[in-house]
Amino acid sequence: MRALLEVANLPSGALEVLEPAFVHESAAREGGIPSNERLEFLGDAILGAIVAGWLYANYPDDKEGTLAKRKAAIVSDRSLATSARRLGFSELLHVGAGERAHGGTERTSILADCFEAFIAAVYGTYGLEPARDFVVREHIAFVDHATANLADSKTQLQELSQERFACMPVYREEGQGPAHERRFTATVSVNGELLGTGSGPSKKDAQQAAATQALTTLQARV
């Protein structure tokens, strides 16, 4: 933990206030102690705001749809877990015996939640600026921001839907106009909720537009 505090540029006295961020619900149930779930909830929102602000400042020419794609890539469970592993979170995680037996300390979703909980713990103890500095220096700086490496909207929405809701997006399309001027409109729902609508000259284009809008809707809730 002390090595992590040095990386995060935090005083060593922060050990006690930051340790709850590493308590998974499985360990909390076994030990009768609070889990990091509430911290994860707060950290998710703080992370979203920090990333959105950083993208807004660093990509002034990007449109909203591209910014949403960049944000989704930065705050995805896969991306957060990669940073968590690099920083040694796996060794600090407290998980239950059953979870540990099944490799829980290396599970992407658990590491991502722990990373968000840690951000919340830093924010709650030291304020927004130390939390922002940590996110920018130890997470955003390690993400590949090349546009060519950004997943298309449908792929990102699928990953986000599975991460948040454990379900797949559902698309519906309809075409209008004569064959030579056919135009399609698509809607996409996640977990039973209509989140996006889009149109285009093909079903694929309409679905991509709908997925982009859905991503924007979901990211606005972070």
Side-chain angles (χ1 to χ4, degrees):
M1 176 72 84
R2 294 187 184 280
L4 176 59
L5 293 179
E6 291 180 6
V7 170
N9 197 28
L10 299 172
S12 59
L15 284 170
E16 291 185 2
V17 295
L18 297 180
E19 282 182 348
F22 296 89
V23 180
H24 184 251
E25 60 178 342
S26 58
R29 286 195 302 268
E30 291 182 4
I33 55 178
S35 75
N36 64 4
E37 288 183 317
R38 283 176 55 83
L39 283 171
E40 183 269 327
F41 170 80
L42 177 60
D44 180 68
I46 296 168
L47 175 66
I50 291 172
V51 172
W54 185 88
L55 288 171
Y56 187 84
N58 285 274
Y59 292 93
D61 298 325
D62 276 5
K63 294 183 178 179
E64 181 184 14
T66 303
L67 290 173
K69 289 181 181 181
R70 292 187 185 280
K71 184 181 177 187
I74 294 172
V75 303
S76 70
D77 277 7
R78 184 182 306 173
S79 180
L80 297 179
T82 297
S83 289
R85 291 188 183 96
R86 190 190 74 254
L87 293 168
F89 277 41
S90 298
E91 290 73 33
L92 301 172
L93 261 169
H94 300 290
V95 299
E99 192 66 59
R100 183 171 295 278
H102 290 87
T105 57
E106 288 296 334
R107 187 169 298 180
T108 295
S109 60
I110 292 178
L111 284 168
D113 289 348
C114 181
F115 191 85
E116 291 176 336
F118 181 76
I119 293 170
V122 172
Y123 166 81
T125 304
Y126 299 102
L128 180 60
E129 286 310 311
R132 190 199 314 275
D133 290 344
F134 172 75
V135 170
V136 172
R137 186 179 64 252
E138 298 300 331
H139 178 57
I140 295 178
F142 288 86
V143 176
D144 189 343
H145 301 286
T147 304
N149 293 321
L150 294 177
D152 63 84
S153 294
K154 285 187 66 177
T155 300
Q156 289 192 64
L157 181 61
Q158 177 178 320
E159 293 178 350
L160 189 60
S161 299
Q162 291 175 320
E163 291 171 1
R164 288 195 186 180
F165 309 106
C167 68
M168 297 285 286
V170 177
Y171 293 89
R172 300 185 187 281
E173 312 85 21
E174 64 176 17
Q176 296 178 329
H180 65 285
E181 293 181 352
R182 198 74 165 162
R183 192 158 185 84
F184 292 87
T185 299
T187 60
V188 60
S189 300
V190 176
N191 202 29
E193 179 184 6
L194 177 63
L195 293 177
T197 302
S199 61
S202 69
K203 289 184 179 180
K204 182 178 180 180
D205 289 335
Q207 289 178 350
Q208 288 286 357
T212 297
Q213 187 180 93
L215 281 171
T216 300
T217 300
L218 288 175
Q219 292 301 332
R221 298 176 181 178
V222 173

